[in-house]
Amino acid sequence: MPIRGGLPPRNPRFIGREGLLADVRGLLGTGPVVLLPAAEHQLGGTGRTQLAVEYAHRYAATYDLVWWIPAEQTAGMRAALVGLASELRLPEARDINRTLGAVRDALSRGEPYRNWLVVFENANRPEDIKPYLPSGAGHVLVTSRNPRWTSEVAQAVPVPVFDRTDSVDFLRRRSPELSAAEAERLAEGLDDVPMALDQAAAVRVATGWSVDEYLRRYQRRAAELAFPTPIRVAWGLAADALAETSPAAFQLLELCAFLASAPVSWELLWAARGVVPPELARTVRIERRLKAALRLTGRYGLAELDPPGDNVLVHPLVRGMLGQQLSSERHAALLRSVRAMLAAADPGDPDNPAHWPRYAAIVPHLVHSDVLGADAEEIRQLVINCIRFLYARGDWDSSRDLAAQAVARWRDSLGETDEQTLLASFHLANALRAVGRTADARSLNAQTLRSQREVLGGDDETTLATANSVGADLRIQGHFGQARQLDADNLVRYRRLFGESFPTALRCANNLAVDLRLLGDFRGARALDEQVLRHRQMIFVEGHPETLSSRAGLAFDLVGLGDYAGASALLANGYADALGADHPMALWAGRFAAIAARRRGLPQARELAAANAELYRQKFGDLNVETLGALVSLANCARADGDLDEAHRLLERAVARYHAVLGEEHPFTLAAAADLAGVVRATGRYAEARTIDAEALGGLRRSVGADHPFTLSCANGLAADLLALGEAQQAREIALDTVARSRSLRGAAHPDTLACAFNVALDAGDEPSMQAAAEELQKAYGEGHPLLARALAGGRLETEIEPPPL
């Protein structure tokens, strides 16, 4: 049996279309096929979706995988493709775009399934699905109302109305008591339009009308309309009959005029029980009454229900006709009800994955109900929560688009300094940063923070959230000192307002520890991380992402302080396993464990670093700052193994990508360049290494100062370059200055200070000092460490740089 995802149930009343099905089958072998309405029925109703459903079921046995994707809205389509990624056993990237690209590529390669069918339903904008269309041996089937499909994208197959024989067979299958002559008359009266025939058959069954009675009502209704069409007339008869039988069921159907062509759960409608008019509230507030009313809409052919009856789907044509027949007053009242219903269904806390299914059910309906135009604050808050949900789920493009629409609309209607306009601006900046538009994010955040401080004050919770985001912008720019000042001020405010154990206060403290690490103050970072870890252990279970974040940060602090065994022990508890290997916090822990293992001289360090770098690449992509940090760690492991060619290749790539992402003067770019100089130096190209080191050292002194660990490591390398090139006096001056600064910053017993001291003694030929330094190194590293063997062989010692997380 093939794997089937999202495929609607097979229609037991499907009839005919044998020629069309054969045509589709044949054309799919040469490329994607799009089913379009026939030219004389551009609005649809000719059965395109039912044809696609029948094709998928009829030929399912010839495929390994059949996947149905609702494509009317981009967010829903992308969510369905993420589900397909899971079925294809693809790792889910933090950025959903990477996951979607991986789905397309895996299908195109035929891995793990060669024979597959992917159906995009209601793809009315070819440009929306074109990036996701796979090639390869599988088949792509599309349904659309839009005739603007070019042959380069898909082969168009118009779907006409039934021929008369199929119309008669269809009607008699629905009502076996019909004679062939009666069915012929009914089919002729409705011009063989499948949707009209289906509605007529449903209404006749529900009401008991004879064919004569139905046609008499049909003709009378058609005469009342300026532009009668079979679907419009048949729909009107069905709607009137439902309204007469159950006003409540019809009112529920009217609400659907403001919702999308996506399944609407009874739970979503049930959420409206406190906000709908009194005449509808009696039906909505009791589950069995609500479900019975929904079944009636299906019985009259005005909606489709899934087999359990939990979800109702209203055809776009029905939704359109419902909207057209409303008075302006009725339209406004129903729109208010729908918006209030969606707000009532908001579960809150959009960062909680347990709430994501509810948000996924709400998001498709935001556009059709025009929630951005709502006056009520709680409805605008729903929009903000949906923006955050999309961001948390990794759909940064959709989050950005919704946030940008909200900011634009609310600036016009509420003003630039309205609290919710500013909050939407904050979320827009987050999404912009996530998609790589860091300069735009920085500018928007700065503007938002100024406005929030003026309007809301510096102690407002939303102001503090934006200030934290500005801190992230400063770190990305390499302005670590400014970030520390801002985060320190934020922490004072958070603790004064909420107490030091409040989760957001702990996140702010965590950010300040990040700043201190980036500034090379590992003692300060350690003290803060230990404090945050204790508080998080009190309020979160072990294995919680935030607790693991503190453990990982503390481990990096210990590495910075030279306690490599302590860092390894802190990360050896297995807490990261529960989150999954590609969780961001697990990736942090994995990278730091590899760094600690390399510093301890353990042989498994390179293997750990390689696995970690690949997971980072899959999760975040090649141009992500954290991926580049993992790449540097892997290069340092390759160098420690003596694989200079691989280390050079990795570091050249890291430097180029840091340059593209962060700029040439960012401390991380310069640090990676200093590591690259070390590899160049190891191959004997001292002049080239000197050029790289001199440029990097000048940049580091300007950006982070002469006493930063990055700067000291680079200076240690430059001294080696100069010595090899015969400039012994300048080399000694730099080496002595580096030792003095390292002792002041890191302490005399720090392994990197000892390495620099050993180099000074080696350069001077001072055997007693070399011996003393070697003995101290043995205490720091333990016996048998590769670095000791290098020192005993008279080799100069390197001090590689490991960029911390931003």
Side-chain angles (χ1 to χ4, degrees):
M1 291 293 292
I3 296 167
R4 306 183 188 193
L7 180 61
R10 193 171 192 174
N11 183 357
R13 299 191 295 270
F14 187 86
I15 199 79
R17 306 290 202 179
E18 297 299 331
L20 270 177
L21 288 166
D23 290 345
V24 170
R25 182 66 175 168
L27 288 171
L28 281 172
T30 60
V33 170
V34 57
L35 303 178
L36 299 171
E40 62 274 19
H41 293 278
Q42 286 295 309
L43 293 179
T46 59
R48 291 163 294 116
T49 298
Q50 291 304 319
L51 184 67
V53 171
E54 177 62 20
Y55 176 88
H57 282 282
R58 182 173 297 194
Y59 294 104
T62 66
Y63 296 104
D64 302 317
L65 172 82
V66 177
W67 209 264
W68 189 275
I69 299 172
E72 184 181 40
Q73 291 195 17
T74 303
M77 175 179 64
R78 289 157 69 87
L81 286 167
V82 169
L84 178 53
S86 177
E87 186 59 49
L88 297 175
R89 298 187 287 279
L90 297 172
E92 185 175 339
R94 178 78 172 198
D95 177 1
I96 204 172
N97 285 333
R98 290 186 50 74
T99 303
L100 303 185
V103 168
R104 180 198 59 224
D105 295 344
L107 291 174
S108 299
R109 292 192 307 268
E111 298 174 358
Y113 306 111
R114 177 173 173 78
N115 297 314
W116 45 262
L117 170 67
V118 175
V119 183
F120 291 89
E121 178 197 15
N122 279 335
N124 296 318
R125 288 167 48 90
E127 60 271 23
D128 286 347
I129 74 163
K130 189 175 179 180
Y132 311 122
L133 291 179
S135 55
H139 293 164
V140 175
L141 183 58
V142 182
T143 72
S144 178
R145 292 193 306 276
N146 188 343
R148 294 187 302 104
W149 288 81
T150 63
S151 57
E152 289 79 13
V153 179
Q155 307 162 89
V157 174
V159 178
V161 299
F162 282 148
D163 60 36
R164 183 57 50 82
T165 300
D166 285 346
S167 295
V168 170
D169 288 346
F170 175 82
L171 291 169
R172 296 191 72 189
R173 180 172 292 187
R174 291 290 301 269
S175 302
E177 77 283 357
L178 273 182
S179 67
E182 289 175 317
E184 176 91 21
R185 289 172 54 213
L186 200 53
E188 182 179 3
L190 276 66
D191 292 342
D192 300 298
V193 177
M195 185 175 178
L197 293 174
D198 187 58
Q199 288 181 330
V203 169
R204 286 190 61 257
V205 170
T207 61
W209 294 341
S210 66
V211 171
D212 288 339
E213 176 66 16
Y214 184 88
L215 289 175
R216 188 163 45 251
R217 290 173 180 263
Y218 183 94
Q219 290 161 4
R220 185 166 63 242
R221 181 83 177 195
E224 295 170 353
L225 299 174
F227 301 102
T229 65
I231 291 177
R232 186 173 180 80
V233 177
W235 170 82
L237 293 178
D240 288 348
L242 175 64
E244 184 178 345
T245 301
S246 173
F250 183 71
Q251 288 179 47
L252 284 174
L253 188 68
E254 285 183 313
L255 292 178
C256 293
F258 301 91
L259 299 173
S261 292
V264 180
S265 167
W266 71 269
E267 293 175 316
L268 188 62
L269 295 165
W270 189 55
R273 58 192 181 279
V275 297
V276 296
E279 63 271 18
L280 184 55
R282 181 180 180 277
T283 297
V284 174
R285 66 173 174 248
I286 303 298
E287 176 186 342
R288 59 181 173 78
R289 293 178 189 156
L290 173 58
K291 289 186 173 181
L294 292 178
R295 287 195 298 271
L296 271 178
T297 65
R299 186 181 174 193
Y300 279 78
L302 295 168
E304 296 178 25
L305 273 72
D306 60 7
D310 290 337
N311 296 283
V312 62
L313 184 67
V314 180
H315 193 282
L317 281 177
V318 172
R319 287 180 19 243
M321 289 182 288
L322 281 165
Q324 291 170 11
Q325 54 89 37
L326 295 172
S327 66
S328 58
E329 294 80 7
R330 182 67 175 158
H331 185 283
L334 288 171
L335 184 58
R336 284 194 300 271
S337 293
V338 168
R339 289 170 172 174
M341 175 186 77
L342 294 173
D346 183 358
D349 190 9
D351 287 300
N352 186 347
H355 296 168
W356 291 359
R358 179 72 70 85
Y359 278 114
I362 293 173
V363 165
H365 306 295
L366 298 181
V367 173
H368 291 275
S369 57
D370 189 28
V371 292
L372 295 175
D375 295 330
E377 186 179 32
E378 67 272 16
I379 298 173
R380 293 194 296 272
Q381 185 61 45
L382 166 68
V383 175
I384 291 169
N385 286 349
C386 287
I387 293 168
R388 180 63 190 179
F389 151 69
L390 291 167
Y391 179 91
R393 192 179 67 177
D395 193 351
W396 297 330
D397 284 333
S398 296
S399 178
R400 176 202 59 200
D401 293 345
L402 182 57
Q405 293 172 40
V407 169
R409 290 282 296 274
W410 295 348
R411 278 178 176 169
D412 288 342
S413 61
L414 305 173
E416 290 190 0
T417 59
D418 176 80
E419 180 180 1
Q420 288 183 309
T421 303
L422 294 171
L423 188 53
S425 298
F426 157 75
H427 286 293
L428 174 57
N430 278 344
L432 288 171
R433 186 193 301 120
V435 299
R437 292 171 55 183
T438 54
D440 292 338
R442 183 166 64 248
S443 175
L444 180 57
N445 261 334
Q447 175 187 338
T448 302
L449 182 59
R450 285 194 299 269
S451 297
Q452 286 176 319
R453 283 174 170 169
E454 291 174 5
V455 176
L456 305 174
D459 287 344
D460 183 81
E461 190 171 358
T462 60
T463 304
L464 290 173
T466 304
N468 273 334
S469 189
V470 169
D473 294 331
L474 291 170
R475 288 191 287 275
I476 290 172
Q477 288 179 276
H479 301 327
F480 304 149
Q482 293 179 39
R484 178 189 59 188
Q485 292 175 356
L486 180 60
D487 288 335
D489 177 71
N490 287 347
L491 183 57
V492 170
R493 294 174 185 273
Y494 266 120
R495 285 178 170 173
R496 184 176 68 246
L497 293 170
F498 303 109
E500 63 180 11
S501 295
F502 195 71
T504 50
L506 293 175
R507 291 188 197 117
C508 187
N510 180 84
N511 291 348
L512 181 56
V514 171
D515 301 331
L516 294 174
R517 271 196 298 278
L518 290 167
L519 288 165
D521 182 3
F522 291 105
R523 290 190 183 90
R526 175 184 181 176
L528 199 50
D529 277 327
E530 286 178 336
Q531 183 184 51
V532 172
L533 178 58
R534 284 195 301 271
H535 285 297
R536 284 177 166 171
Q537 286 174 324
M538 287 188 290
I539 62 177
F540 298 126
V541 297
E542 279 292 2
H544 189 281
E546 296 197 23
T547 305
L548 182 57
S549 168
S550 290
R551 283 187 176 275
L554 182 55
F556 200 97
D557 300 337
L558 294 178
V559 169
L561 292 168
D563 184 2
Y564 310 132
S568 292
L570 193 63
L571 297 172
N573 49 48
Y575 290 130
D577 297 341
L579 297 176
D582 65 345
H583 189 281
M585 296 304 103
L587 289 171
W588 271 24
R591 181 184 168 215
F592 303 161
I595 293 172
R598 180 183 67 81
R599 289 283 193 162
R600 294 173 65 198
L602 300 180
Q604 66 266 34
R606 186 174 180 180
E607 181 181 351
L608 292 173
N612 179 256
E614 178 58 22
L615 285 171
Y616 261 114
R617 189 192 66 78
Q618 292 177 356
K619 185 77 172 179
F620 295 106
D622 292 323
L623 295 178
N624 178 270
V625 173
E626 305 304 336
T627 302
L628 296 179
L631 202 65
V632 170
S633 296
L634 176 58
N636 287 337
C637 288
R639 178 183 176 179
D641 277 356
D643 190 349
L644 298 180
D645 288 343
E646 178 65 4
H648 189 278
R649 184 185 69 84
L650 292 171
L651 285 168
E652 270 197 328
R653 182 181 300 173
V655 170
R657 290 175 177 171
Y658 271 135
H659 188 289
V661 174
L662 298 176
E664 62 180 354
E665 286 294 309
H666 194 282
F668 283 15
T669 308
L670 300 168
D675 281 340
L676 176 62
V679 176
V680 172
R681 180 168 53 251
T683 63
R685 289 144 48 207
Y686 301 112
E688 183 182 343
R690 176 188 178 177
T691 299
I692 298 172
D693 269 329
E695 291 181 0
L697 183 60
L700 288 169
R701 284 172 172 167
R702 289 190 298 273
S703 60
V704 291
D707 292 324
H708 193 280
F710 289 6
T711 312
L712 298 178
S713 293
C714 185
N716 180 55
L718 179 59
D721 302 331
L722 293 169
L723 186 69
L725 292 170
E727 300 180 40
Q729 181 59 35
Q730 187 180 358
R732 180 168 177 77
E733 290 174 0
I734 292 176
L736 286 171
D737 179 70
T738 302
V739 170
R741 291 179 184 277
S742 186
R743 283 173 177 156
S744 176
L745 174 70
R746 299 184 282 209
H750 190 283
D752 285 351
T753 303
L754 295 173
C756 292
F758 176 84
N759 289 341
V760 168
L762 176 67
D763 297 345
D766 184 348
E767 290 289 344
S769 296
M770 287 173 58
Q771 182 62 34
E775 290 174 0
E776 293 299 318
L777 284 168
Q778 184 170 328
K779 291 178 185 178
Y781 284 104
E783 293 185 10
H785 195 285
L787 184 141
L788 296 176
R790 178 174 176 81
L792 293 174
R796 222 170 184 283
L797 303 182
E798 298 285 351
T799 51
E800 301 89 356
I801 303 173
E802 298 281 0
L806 281 175

